[in-house]
Amino acid sequence: MVYRWGMLFRTLWIAVFAPILIGLLAAGIFGHRVFLLVFVVWLGALACVLRAEALNARARSQQAPSPGLLGARAGWGLLALVLIFGSAGLIRVVLGD
């Protein structure tokens, strides 16, 4: 039962990120090359979110998850946020005001 929910959450995360990734890829190919770099950064953020979701599934299956597991899950989520906001800074630096 937990596996089905985990698969659903992973599919939803991919569905949320897919339009953004497609847009960044198209902008990088047809527009400025910085968007290709931002595409790679957002792909890394998606990988972080999926890793955090996998750790979340493991934590939900345990009666009392360890603090290390919960900290790792939070760390992957925080890294995803840092990558997303960092990509905005990268675009601002390269393209200017």
Side-chain angles (χ1 to χ4, degrees):
M1 182 70 154
V2 173
Y3 177 73
R4 275 190 261 150
W5 283 108
M7 190 65 141
L8 174 69
F9 289 138
R10 282 189 290 272
T11 304
L12 288 175
W13 278 116
I14 291 170
V16 166
F17 273 77
I20 299 166
L21 290 171
I22 291 169
L24 287 171
L25 184 61
I29 291 172
F30 299 115
H32 201 281
R33 298 289 182 223
V34 71
F35 291 108
L36 287 176
L37 182 59
V38 172
F39 169 78
V40 172
V41 171
W42 273 73
L43 206 56
L46 175 60
C48 291
V49 167
L50 293 177
R51 180 64 182 147
E53 183 57 43
L55 291 173
N56 191 30
R58 190 183 317 163
R60 281 193 311 262
S61 68
Q62 295 178 1
Q63 182 78 16
S66 70
L69 179 63
L70 296 175
R73 182 183 68 181
W76 283 108
L78 183 63
L79 180 59
L81 286 174
V82 167
L83 287 172
I84 289 170
F85 286 110
S87 69
L90 179 66
I91 291 173
R92 184 176 172 113
V93 165
V94 171
L95 297 181
D97 289 327

